[in-house]
């Protein structure tokens, strides 16, 4: 299977490196010239707990001139999903598919509008990564990846992709209910990301302070009401316990939204708490806490008073 990873940042570099180490025909694609040049020149430096490793990896600056591929793994941040999906559509051979493991709600639907819903695989991953600089990525947390089809029954292609990732050292499970997966992770991100970004806290601190536990509980409860109204089956029994458990388990982590705010980069707020607000409006569920969190992060993104 020929693979292109579009968006070779933290996660795209990690997945690309693991696939390349397993001998897969993979090219990572990015729009960041220094990063692509570093990977092409020195290889990708993959930092693991056990030490650094240099991984030889094909890298391209944009998809222009590339051969058609069977699978695109799309790992841009949500603001670039449409552009990346347009490139993916041009790159896929007939019958090829796009896999998104991006966070938030709506990425898979944006991709589906461009390539067709039946060609979209979506899911979540508990793998974590941080970009350290051009050509350098740190593998953070490890965990399972879950994938399924956005539309239609899971099929042989889906199982083939799961086997490919699993054999490459990225354990992957096929899940028939992809909405459950996406909403399950969305609710966790809704509870953790905006609050850590606004208050500049590590994930674990949210569970320690009475005030932040209360704010987290309010945001999660609204999101759960919206999920119920949307008819989503969540993949866990007690959402609040689950979100707090994830905050504790990833206690030392800076959430991606906090990292974005500290770097002055755009965040994914629109597809996380913002998506709860939009879905709430559509379904007649009030979401004042998530609306407030969304507006606060959007104001922070304007970066008027950089520290
Ligand atoms: P990142 O910012 O490190 O990487 C995104 C990359 O996409 C950047 O290198 C950027 O230059 C590139 N890019 C932007 N526009 C592009 C385009 N049109 N074509 C090709 N490349 C383009 O982001 P990340 O942390 O790797 O996150 C990617 C997605 O994965 C997000 O949705 C995030 O929420 C999700 N995610 C991240 C983690 C994590 O630990 N980092 C874990 C799970 C899920």
């Amino acid at each position: 299977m020929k693979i292109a990873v579009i968006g070779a940042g933290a996660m795209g570099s990690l997945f690309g490196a693991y696939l390349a180490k397993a001998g897969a025909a993979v090219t990572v694609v990015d729009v960041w010239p220094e990063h692509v040049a570093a990977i092409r020149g020195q290889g990708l430096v993959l930092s693991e707990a056990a030490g650094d490793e240099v991984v030889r990896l094909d890298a391209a600056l944009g998809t222009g001139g590339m051969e058609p591929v069977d699978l695109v793994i799309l790992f841009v941040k949500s603001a670039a999903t449409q552009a990346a999906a347009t490139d993916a559509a041009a790159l896929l051979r007939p019958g090829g598919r796009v896999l998104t493991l991006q966070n938030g709600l709506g990425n898979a639907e944006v991709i589906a509008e461009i390539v067709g819903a039946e060609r979209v695989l979506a899911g979540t991953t508990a793998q974590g990564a941080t970009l350290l600089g051009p050509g350098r990525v740190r593998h953070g947390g490890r965990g399972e990846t879950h994938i399924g089809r956005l539309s239609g029954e899971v099929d042989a292609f889906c199982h083939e992709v799961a086997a490919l990732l699993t054999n490459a050292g990225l354990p992957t499970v096929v899940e028939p209910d992809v909405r459950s997966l996406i909403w399950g992770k969305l609710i966790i991100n809704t509870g953790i990301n905006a609050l850590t970004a606004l208050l500049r806290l590590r994930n674990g601190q949210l569970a320690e302070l009475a005030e932040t536990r209360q704010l987290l509980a309010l945001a999660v409860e609204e999101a759960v009401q919206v999920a119920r109204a949307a008819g989503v089956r969540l993949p866990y029994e007690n959402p609040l316990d689950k979100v707090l458990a994830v905050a504790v388990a990833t206690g030392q982590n800076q959430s991606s939204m906090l990292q974005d705010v500290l770097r002055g980069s755009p965040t994914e707020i629109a597809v996380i708490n913002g998506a709860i607000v939009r879905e709430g409006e559509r379904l007649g569920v009030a979401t004042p806490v998530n609306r407030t969190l969304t507006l606060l992060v959007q104001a922070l993104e304007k970066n008027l008073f950089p520290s």
Side-chain angles (χ1 to χ4, degrees):
M1 187 181 298
K2 259 179 102 83
I3 307 158
V5 179
I6 301 188
M11 294 301 283
S13 293
L14 178 74
F15 273 61
Y18 269 70
L19 287 165
K21 284 204 297 171
V26 60
T27 302
V28 297
V29 183
D30 209 287
V31 292
W32 180 15
E34 292 83 359
H35 184 48
V36 170
I39 297 173
R40 281 185 165 170
Q42 293 91 260
L44 181 82
V45 181
L46 175 62
S47 265
E48 299 274 7
D52 288 0
E53 180 184 357
V54 176
V55 181
R56 287 280 152 200
L57 181 60
D58 277 339
L61 189 63
T63 51
M66 281 177 66
E67 295 284 307
V69 299
D70 305 287
L71 176 69
V72 167
I73 305 179
L74 203 149
F75 254 141
V76 295
K77 288 269 175 73
S78 57
T81 298
Q82 193 166 15
T86 304
D87 286 345
L91 196 57
L92 282 178
R93 70 155 175 75
R97 296 208 188 154
V98 179
L99 168 65
T100 166
L101 300 171
Q102 297 161 284
N103 282 327
L105 190 69
N107 289 301
E109 289 74 9
V110 168
I111 299 165
E113 271 178 31
I114 295 166
V115 305
E118 70 292 346
R119 299 173 80 191
V120 179
L121 303 177
T124 57
T125 183
Q127 300 287 348
T130 308
L131 208 56
L132 301 174
R136 300 183 67 88
V137 66
R138 181 170 59 225
H139 191 180
R142 287 171 177 274
E144 279 185 344
T145 297
H146 292 251
I147 66 170
R149 288 187 74 190
L150 189 62
S151 122
E153 303 277 302
V154 292
D155 61 359
F157 195 113
C158 200
H159 285 284
E160 210 181 318
V161 172
L164 174 87
L165 293 173
T166 301
N167 293 335
L170 301 162
T172 301
V173 176
V174 170
E175 162 66 58
D177 186 354
V178 81
R179 280 179 89 211
S180 173
L181 287 176
I182 291 173
W183 275 84
K185 186 140 189 225
L186 174 68
I187 287 176
I188 293 166
N189 288 328
T190 295
I192 294 176
N193 287 24
L195 285 170
T196 50
L198 288 164
L199 297 167
R200 304 198 171 194
L201 296 176
R202 291 189 182 270
N203 292 0
Q205 292 174 292
L206 286 183
E208 286 165 16
L209 306 174
E211 294 81 0
T212 49
R213 279 180 83 101
Q214 200 176 335
L215 282 162
L216 180 150
L218 290 167
V220 167
E221 180 52 29
E222 279 181 9
V224 171
Q225 294 304 329
V226 175
R228 289 216 176 101
V232 173
R233 177 190 66 86
L234 291 177
Y236 35 73
E237 283 290 309
N238 185 321
L240 181 56
D241 285 354
K242 177 68 184 180
V243 181
L244 287 170
V246 172
V248 171
T250 59
Q252 286 309 307
N253 288 11
Q254 281 187 344
S255 74
S256 57
M257 200 171 287
L258 173 55
Q259 290 182 42
D260 286 337
V261 164
L262 293 175
R263 274 200 304 258
S265 304
T267 73
E268 295 187 298
I269 190 75
V271 295
I272 301 178
N273 304 75
I276 300 298
V277 175
R278 274 196 309 282
E279 284 294 285
E281 272 172 4
R282 187 174 72 79
L283 297 160
V285 179
T287 57
V289 174
N290 280 289
R291 187 182 295 279
T292 305
L293 292 175
T294 302
L295 290 169
L296 284 169
V297 172
Q298 284 170 342
L300 201 60
E301 273 180 342
K302 304 255 158 75
N303 211 17
L304 294 180
F305 298 102
S307 54

